[in-house]
Amino acid sequence: MLEIKNLSYRVENADIVNSVDLLVPDRSFMVITGPNGGGKTSLAKLVMGISTPTGGSIFWDGQDITALSVTQRARLGISYGFQQPPRFKGMKVRDLLEIAAGEHISHDKACSYLTKVGLCARDYIERDVDSSLSGGEVKRIEIATVLARRCKLMIFDEPEAGIDLWSFARLTETFQEIHDRKEASILIISHQERIIRLADEIVLLAGGKITAKGSVDEVYPQIVSDTVAGCNRLEVKGAC
Ligand SMILES: Nc1ncnc2c1ncn2[C@@H]1O[C@H](COP(=O)(O)OP(=O)(O)OP(=O)(O)O)[C@@H](O)[C@H]1O
Ligand SMILES: [Mg+2]
């Protein structure tokens, strides 16, 4: 279980993440949504240890991990798929999957992770993870590496970004399968209604604060009613 207590991230007098409390139960499916710039990626990076909080604590299975490095958190079972994944010149997709898995994996096993993200394994397994891959391809390979890590908590930052409709459908099936099999906790940052509707719990993060939390039926109507013709009242309260 992930427990975030009073977590804050303040940069240059701006409260990017502001006293956030959040509980992600084991094997749950949680989606964090909210306006651009609301603090979602910043919160994910604090959980993964990529950024250091200016206040508060993070507990994982009861252990305070606030001071632990990214590598230590990864070893404990937390993984994160970047909103904008890096590319690795000179490394093949197969190598990247094997590094993620942390052990030698068979050709078929490596290919199975690509299939889960809607990529034709035969076409991609020997490709270099460099700039020759399209944005959607590199994003899906990144998601495949998160799957290959088989962590207890998988965090995906806008997995839908740049992904075509067909691959997106496959991807949502994969998330649903993981959840149905209770293989891991899934924490997805997303703006996509279809992903939001898969979740057990929706968290709305705006201005660095949690402004709503609950089931899809409770929170989704609130999200829709708070958005008026491109001017999101959660984001710019009083400014329009
Ligand atoms: N290191 C930093 N220095 C200054 N501002 C920052 C820093 N990191 C994040 N911010 C700002 O904090 C806010 C939250 O950024 P974040 O990337 O967490 O938003 P987000 O909710 O993920 O948005 P999006 O939906 O666009 O991905 C933004 O206004 C961003 O510009
Ligand atoms: Mg983001």
Side-chain angles (χ1 to χ4, degrees), residues 36-37 39-42 80 83 157-158 189 191:
N36 292 138
K40 303 179 294 297
T41 296
S42 303
Y80 172 63
Q83 185 170 357
D157 199 342
E158 296 195 28
I189 293 165
H191 300 288

Side-chain angles (χ1 to χ4, degrees), residues 134-161:
S134 78
E137 287 167 343
V138 88
K139 183 81 184 174
R140 283 189 279 160
I141 288 163
E142 159 93 347
I143 295 168
T145 63
V146 174
L147 299 176
R149 269 179 226 134
R150 287 169 295 126
C151 279
K152 254 182 90 182
L153 172 64
M154 302 178 179
I155 307 171
F156 300 97
D157 199 342
E158 296 195 28
E160 72 269 19

Side-chain angles (χ1 to χ4, degrees), residues 6-69:
N6 201 23
L7 199 69
S8 294
Y9 181 54
R10 194 173 165 82
V11 182
E12 293 162 10
N13 293 328
D15 292 313
I16 313 281
V17 174
N18 192 350
S19 306
V20 165
D21 289 307
L22 188 65
L23 208 73
V24 184
D26 284 343
R27 294 173 280 281
S28 61
F29 192 145
M30 184 178 278
V31 168
I32 302 180
T33 192
N36 292 138
K40 303 179 294 297
T41 296
S42 303
L43 180 62
K45 287 182 175 173
L46 292 171
V47 171
M48 196 62 234
I50 297 164
S51 307
T52 308
T54 47
S57 316
I58 305 165
F59 290 84
W60 175 241
D61 287 343
Q63 179 186 354
D64 188 342
I65 60 164
T66 320
L68 299 191
S69 68

Side-chain angles (χ1 to χ4, degrees), residues 25-26 36 53 144 165 182 232:
D26 284 343
N36 292 138
L165 292 173
K182 304 281 174 219
N232 195 316

